[in-house]
């Protein structure tokens, strides 16, 4: 069982995979060669599932930061006798710059320790446990490092002399004086990985660290179009989204982890290392704000390619895909893992791929409209697919589904799903000229769009609650109703929108000022507040014209970020601690979009 707080971790990325590093200098999550590969280090989910720690061997004070405009982590340890600085990065491709970030990443974790003052003894513990801890590799000494072989893995650790080995673990102590440095590099040298098996010299490690810094900074320079409130936060969130992007396909994972719980000890522990169509619209808004035009195009192309032919076969559009476009994401339990803070089961895969969520049609067509203005013309297959998506929304909007929150229970007539079907037809009408839609077809879309609005106003609005509610005929509030003004269903100053925003702010906001998704829970557990929903509230308040309150809610959401600016999925309503898979793309997306909305509201007011 792991008990390290989630906010204790910092993210590394090579735009193909990620690592999580604790404040104690321990890498406790690393999947190679992809986000969705089995973990090589998995102590995040179980104490015996592997880690790689580098830190002083005695008490110390710790500070850390990302180097300016990068995701290269710098951790400073101050001991009684001296100070050491640990620099960590997942190497980007040699001389990669700008939009090409991650195109040729070698899959190498780089770590460099420098004594900057006095003296210090650094202890190293290297315990790779591939396949989520099932493999305890055989270790042997190489010239310039250590090899670990087990299962399908051959890992090569480039390291200075002095490491000893015992029971599939390498460990050692290194005494450093001011100005002295030691360097490490971990690479997957499995035959199928295509990596060179020889250890790296320390000069090569230093050069690749410097090159990775330059690569991140070159990408940042190309994406600095946003200016306004919380500019540094928006820019950092852009880098986090890029870090969660699988460059070979353009897919963006919801989070780089699996099975971090929505409530401590509960069963809602899902694998988030996939791409959800549900997230597409808000993701593309965020990428637009960040001036990520090529990233927008790549992400939209991925969605179209992954979903190709499903609709013409008469089946529902799948709600999520693997980062390579995979469709079968069958869920399985890893019973040998204890879970973070004893939250079990630990899962890989996600059976939500089997669910029916009618909102995906609106997400897809809204994503298409956002992509088009930036010169990304639709190919004939894409036009055909988008036409089919509009037709599916028109014919299926009145049917029940499992909703945006993926309720694993009976299908219902969820309000958000109906609204997004309205969005699908609204965007299809707007795109009719580039989709090649006939006048007769557009006339039908207009009629159905009005039918959906009529149903929403009659059955989705609850006058006794004074709000749009979770599902038709329901009295339950749901934070997804905050998206109605965000997607343009009604303007922010409409009386029903103002009333809904007030109701959610009053009844779904916890004592810490964070917004819950809803109050009822089909898993009979008490989950934390959902950070995206807090940013939605700030966004919606800006659209209503209440800029002062929007700023207040936004600032409150920012308090959930850790010391290096990473946002969780949820936060505990009692303690404020981070919950859910970490860091969460949707939270950073919500930050970017809410900041832009507040900026625009302030400009209108001025």
């Amino acid at each position: 069982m792991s008990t390290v707080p989630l906010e204790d971790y910092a993210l590394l990325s090579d735009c193909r995979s990620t690592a999580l590093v604790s404040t104690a200098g321990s890498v406790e999550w690393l999947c190679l060669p992809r986000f969705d590969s089995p973990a090589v280090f998995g102590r995040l989910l179980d104490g015996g599932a592997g880690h790689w720690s580098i830190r002083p061997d005695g008490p110390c004070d710790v500070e850390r930061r990302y180097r300016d405009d990068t995701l290269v982590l710098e951790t400073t340890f101050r001991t009684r006798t001296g100070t050491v600085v640990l620099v960590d990065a997942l190497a980007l491709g040699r001389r990669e710059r700008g939009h090409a970030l991650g195109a040729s990443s070698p899959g190498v974790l780089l770590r460099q320790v420098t004594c900057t003052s006095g003296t210090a003894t650094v202890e190293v513990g290297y315990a790779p446990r591939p396949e989520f801890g099932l493999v305890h590799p055989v270790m042997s000494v190489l010239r310039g490092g250590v090899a670990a072989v087990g299962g399908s893995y051959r890992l090569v650790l480039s390291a200075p002399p002095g490491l000893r080995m015992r029971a599939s673990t390498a460990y050692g102590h290194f005494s450093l004086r001011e100005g002295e440095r030691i360097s490490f590099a971990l690479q997957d040298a499995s035959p199928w990985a295509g990596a060179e098996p020889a250890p790296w010299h320390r000069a090569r490690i230093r050069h690749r660290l410097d090159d990775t810094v330059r690569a991140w900074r070159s990408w940042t320079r190309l994406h600095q179009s946003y200016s306004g409130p919380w500019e540094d936060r928006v820019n950092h969130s852009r880098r986090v989204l890029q870090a969660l992007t699988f460059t070979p396909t353009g897919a963006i994972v919801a989070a780089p982890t699996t099975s971090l719980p929505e409530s401590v000890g509960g069963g809602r522990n899902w694998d988030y290392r996939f791409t959800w169509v549900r997230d597409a619209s808000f993701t593309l808004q965020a990428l637009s704000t960040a001036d990520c035009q090529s990233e927008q195009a790549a992400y939209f192309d991925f969605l179209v390619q992954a979903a190709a032919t499903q609709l013409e076969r008469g089946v529902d559009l799948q709600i999520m895909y693997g980062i390579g476009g995979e469709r079968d994401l069958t869920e399985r339990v890893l019973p040998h893992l204890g879970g973070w803070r004893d939250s079990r089961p630990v899962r890989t895969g996600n059976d939500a791929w089997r669910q029916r969520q009618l909102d995906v049609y609106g997400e897809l067509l809204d994503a298409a409209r956002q992509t088009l203005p930036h010169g990304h013309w639709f190919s004939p297959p894409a036009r055909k697919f988008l036409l089919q998506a509009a037709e599916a929304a028109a014919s299926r909007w009145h049917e029940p589904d499992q909703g945006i929150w993926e309720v694993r229970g009976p299908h219902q007539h969820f309000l958000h799903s109906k609204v997004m079907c309205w969005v699908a037809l609204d965007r299809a009408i707007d795109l009719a000229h580039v989709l090649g839609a006939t006048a007769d077809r557009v006339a039908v879309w207009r009629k159905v769009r009005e039918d959906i609005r009529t149903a929403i106003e009659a059955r989705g609005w609850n006058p006794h609650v004074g709000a749009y509610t979770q599902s038709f005929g329901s009295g339950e509030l749901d934070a997804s109703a905050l998206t109605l003004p965000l997607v343009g269903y009604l303007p922010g100053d409409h009386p029903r929108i103002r009333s809904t925003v007030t109701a959610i702010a009053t009844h779904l906001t916890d004592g810490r000022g964070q917004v819950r998704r809803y109050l009822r829970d089909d898993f009979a557990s008490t989950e934390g507040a959902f950070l995206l929903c807090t940013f939605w509230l700030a966004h919606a308040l800006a659209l209503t014209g209440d800029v002062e309150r929007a700023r207040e809610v936004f600032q409150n959401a920012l308090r959930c970020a850790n010391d290096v600016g990473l946002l969780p999925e949820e936060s505990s309503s009692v303690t404020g601690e981070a919950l859910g898979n970490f860091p969460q793309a949707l939270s950073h997306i919500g930050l970017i979009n809410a900041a832009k909305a507040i900026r625009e509201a302030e400009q209108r007011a001025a």
Side-chain angles (χ1 to χ4, degrees), residues 567-589:
L567 294 169
E569 179 182 19
E570 301 185 11
S571 65
S572 168
S573 295
V574 177
T575 65
E577 68 177 326
L579 295 171
N581 284 296
F582 180 86
Q584 181 74 203
L586 272 178
S587 298
H588 287 276
I589 289 165

Side-chain angles (χ1 to χ4, degrees), residues 76-125:
T76 300
F77 299 96
R78 292 184 175 87
T79 73
R80 182 178 56 83
T81 60
T83 299
V84 295
V85 176
L86 170 64
V87 178
D88 290 321
L90 275 166
L92 293 167
R94 187 169 177 266
R95 295 177 180 166
E96 280 184 353
R97 298 295 183 265
H99 295 302
L101 215 62
S104 58
S105 299
V108 178
L109 176 57
L110 307 173
R111 314 195 75 186
Q112 179 179 277
V113 189
T114 304
C115 182
T116 59
S117 68
T119 62
T121 299
V122 174
E123 60 180 19
V124 176

Side-chain angles (χ1 to χ4, degrees), residues 42-370:
R43 190 154 76 172
L44 178 69
L45 295 175
D46 188 280
H51 72 285
W52 178 15
S53 62
I54 301 176
R55 59 160 292 138
D57 68 350
C60 58
D61 295 324
V62 182
E63 292 181 4
R64 62 182 181 172
R65 67 181 186 98
Y66 286 116
R67 289 189 170 177
D68 292 346
D69 298 333
T70 77
L71 284 184
V72 175
L73 182 67
E74 186 177 279
T75 305
T76 300
F77 299 96
R78 292 184 175 87
T79 73
R80 182 178 56 83
T81 60
T83 299
V84 295
V85 176
L86 170 64
V87 178
D88 290 321
L90 275 166
L92 293 167
R94 187 169 177 266
R95 295 177 180 166
E96 280 184 353
R97 298 295 183 265
H99 295 302
L101 215 62
S104 58
S105 299
V108 178
L109 176 57
L110 307 173
R111 314 195 75 186
Q112 179 179 277
V113 189
T114 304
C115 182
T116 59
S117 68
T119 62
T121 299
V122 174
E123 60 180 19
V124 176
Y126 170 66
R129 299 292 184 265
E131 294 190 41
F132 295 105
L134 287 176
V135 175
H136 288 229
V138 175
M139 288 190 169
S140 59
V141 176
L142 296 173
R143 183 178 179 181
V146 174
V149 180
S152 63
Y153 286 82
R154 184 172 192 267
L155 302 170
V156 172
L157 175 66
S158 307
L163 288 178
R164 294 171 289 171
M165 282 160 282
R166 182 179 65 236
S168 298
T169 300
Y171 61 95
H173 290 76
F174 300 87
S175 296
L176 301 177
R177 293 192 298 265
E178 183 174 344
E180 291 184 331
R181 172 186 294 159
I182 54 175
S183 303
F184 303 83
L186 174 63
Q187 57 186 309
D188 181 3
S190 306
W192 48 267
E196 58 184 74
W200 287 17
H201 188 269
R202 61 182 182 180
R204 185 180 184 186
I205 296 171
R206 184 178 71 254
H207 290 320
R208 290 307 296 272
L209 268 173
D210 291 342
D211 192 63
T212 296
V213 168
R214 288 192 291 269
W216 275 110
R217 286 175 177 167
S218 74
W219 187 90
T220 297
R221 282 194 299 270
L222 286 175
H223 302 85
Q224 287 186 319
S225 62
Y226 176 84
S227 61
W230 306 288
E231 189 169 323
D232 289 344
R233 297 282 195 161
V234 169
N235 290 336
H236 183 55
S237 289
R238 287 186 294 111
R239 283 189 291 274
V240 173
L241 290 185
Q242 177 62 24
L244 298 179
T245 298
F246 186 62
T247 295
T249 64
I252 301 175
V253 294
T257 56
T258 180
S259 301
L260 297 178
E262 296 174 7
S263 59
V264 176
R268 302 188 69 162
N269 317 318
W270 315 120
D271 193 343
Y272 270 23
R273 299 172 298 161
F274 309 112
T275 288
W276 271 255
V277 178
R278 172 196 66 203
D279 303 347
S281 175
F282 292 115
T283 300
L284 285 166
Q285 285 180 30
L287 292 176
S288 176
T289 300
D291 197 24
C292 300
Q293 296 177 14
S294 64
E295 290 82 359
Q296 276 188 294
Y299 182 51
F300 182 72
D301 283 346
F302 164 78
L303 292 174
V304 172
Q305 182 173 331
T309 75
Q310 283 192 302
L311 293 176
E312 66 185 43
R313 292 188 290 111
V315 299
D316 284 326
L317 182 66
Q318 196 162 310
I319 72 163
M320 58 190 292
Y321 300 92
I323 57 175
E326 299 87 357
R327 295 182 183 179
D328 186 347
L329 309 177
T330 299
E331 193 175 288
R332 68 187 182 95
V333 171
L334 304 179
H336 66 286
L337 296 179
W340 181 78
R341 292 182 59 180
D342 204 26
S343 300
R344 288 178 283 186
V346 174
R347 297 176 169 95
T348 62
N350 194 317
D351 275 347
W353 74 274
R354 307 176 190 273
Q355 287 194 355
R356 182 182 219 208
Q357 293 178 26
L358 297 176
D359 62 308
V360 293
Y361 302 112
E363 299 285 0
L364 188 68
L365 279 149
D366 190 60
R369 192 179 70 168
Q370 291 185 56

